[in-house]
Amino acid sequence: MNEKNDLQLLFQYRGALMGIAALWILVTHEWQIVSFEGEWIYEIERFWKRIGFCGVDIFMILSGMGMVFSLEKNSIIRFYYNRIKRIIIPFWFMASVVAFIDKWDKVFYFKVITGIAFFRINIYSFLWFVPAIITFYILVPIFYAVFKRAKNKYIFILAVLEIWLLVSLLLKAYMREDLYGFTNRIPIFIMGVFLGWICREKTVHFNKTTWIFLIITLILGLYLAYQSNMNGMQLILPVSNCCIPNFLIAVSLPLLIAKVMDMLCTVKVIKYADIILIKIFSFFGMISLEFYCVQEWIAKKILPEMVQHAGNLLVNLELLIIVSVCGMVLYLINKSIVKGFDFIDTHFINVN
């Protein structure tokens, strides 16, 4: 009988965790506050909306973990092929739709789909997460190859994080500030790779002390997130609200949520309700990339009209339905295109 591996919970409930992260990102982008200013719940709602971009960091850590298993399973060529068909196709398709409707000029369109706009203009030019994660995907095989050769992998990771911090500090006077929104996510992606390696190589069992430590880590992350996002406190680096606080939240919250889901699935009274909830979250996890790709652009088109004719709660529900349907359509389009690529791969090219 295999010994329990608590880190495996992140893979067992990966779809649901990605769904929660996707919904949290929608909250930070488009959620209309439903409580009234002055009520205690108003501050909580405003805070959770403000820090919803932490969902990106949850994606980063889960992606970093997944990269380890993908690299161990596939050749480098197959690894890149899998990333291209899953990430780049929806990004290019959405960019083409927006470029046509919003009448982008050809130069800007080219800069967006090639990532030039991300690095040379502003990371938020268009769907910044996609070029960011693609950059990590391009570099991770090199990083992982060096990581595997390290004699002491714990010291290696600490050394890499120290180098990242030193370089980040040295570049403060030279690098565009918006780029820190990207580079500040390097530690969480590296931690994802590290946790993926630990999960693959070792059986990790958390005791009560470990879970208490994770709870304390989450509380500290939320406290620093509140101070940096709501009170403007700077933490070492520019754009620090998406660095240390999000790192602490992203390494603790997914594990705690996965543990709660796992525990609830064993309780007979609420077992099926929990399973249904997991399936709902997993649906959003399945379409998470497409869900992200469509939400801001669609909301920009329809939200101004919607908020004039309905209450905020109804607007939130209607927008969720519309974005979900559009995300599902984009997912099905991408799936059809990928089937064509896979047919060519299987019968003619055979990418290895």
Side-chain angles (χ1 to χ4, degrees), residues 15-111:
L17 292 171
M18 291 183 72
I20 292 171
L23 290 168
W24 201 6
I25 292 170
L26 178 67
V27 166
T28 202
H29 283 159
E30 316 302 346
W31 181 264
Q32 305 300 302
I33 301 291
V34 298
S35 53
F36 295 100
E37 190 171 355
E39 297 178 341
W40 64 270
I41 197 171
Y42 174 84
E43 287 300 317
I44 295 176
E45 187 180 358
R46 193 165 70 95
F47 173 58
W48 280 103
K49 173 179 169 62
R50 183 65 184 85
I51 68 168
F53 58 90
C54 187
V56 170
D57 299 84
I58 294 175
F59 276 122
M60 291 290 186
I61 198 168
L62 293 175
S63 295
M65 293 184 72
M67 291 306 95
V68 172
F69 288 83
S70 182
L71 286 167
E72 292 289 349
K73 180 181 178 182
N74 302 302
S75 68
I76 296 297
I77 296 176
R78 171 62 65 177
F79 170 82
Y80 283 130
Y81 172 72
N82 289 340
R83 305 285 78 73
I84 288 171
K85 69 180 184 180
R86 180 66 189 100
I87 302 292
I88 293 182
I89 294 173
F91 176 65
W92 281 357
F93 183 89
M94 194 63 200
S96 300
V97 170
V98 175
F100 177 76
I101 295 177
D102 288 354
K103 296 180 173 55
W104 289 356
D105 64 71
K106 294 178 181 179
V107 174
F108 181 68
Y109 172 71
F110 175 77
K111 289 181 178 179

Side-chain angles (χ1 to χ4, degrees), residues 110-126:
F110 175 77
K111 289 181 178 179
V112 165
I113 64 172
T114 57
I116 293 174
F118 177 87
F119 287 105
R120 298 297 300 275
I121 301 175
N122 191 294
I123 71 167
Y124 303 112
S125 296
F126 184 72

Side-chain angles (χ1 to χ4, degrees), residues 282-336:
S282 297
F283 165 76
F284 287 103
M286 178 183 72
I287 66 168
S288 56
L289 177 63
E290 294 80 8
F291 188 76
Y292 163 74
C293 285
V294 302
Q295 59 183 249
E296 282 192 86
W297 182 70
I298 288 177
K300 182 180 178 181
K301 297 293 184 185
I302 66 175
L303 259 183
E305 182 70 20
M306 291 173 66
V307 296
Q308 293 182 19
H309 299 92
N312 285 356
L313 186 59
L314 182 58
V315 167
N316 290 330
L317 179 59
E318 290 176 345
L319 185 65
L320 175 61
I321 293 171
I322 293 169
V323 171
S324 300
V325 170
C326 293
M328 188 63 189
V329 170
L330 181 56
Y331 171 82
L332 293 174
I333 291 172
N334 184 50
K335 194 172 182 180
S336 299

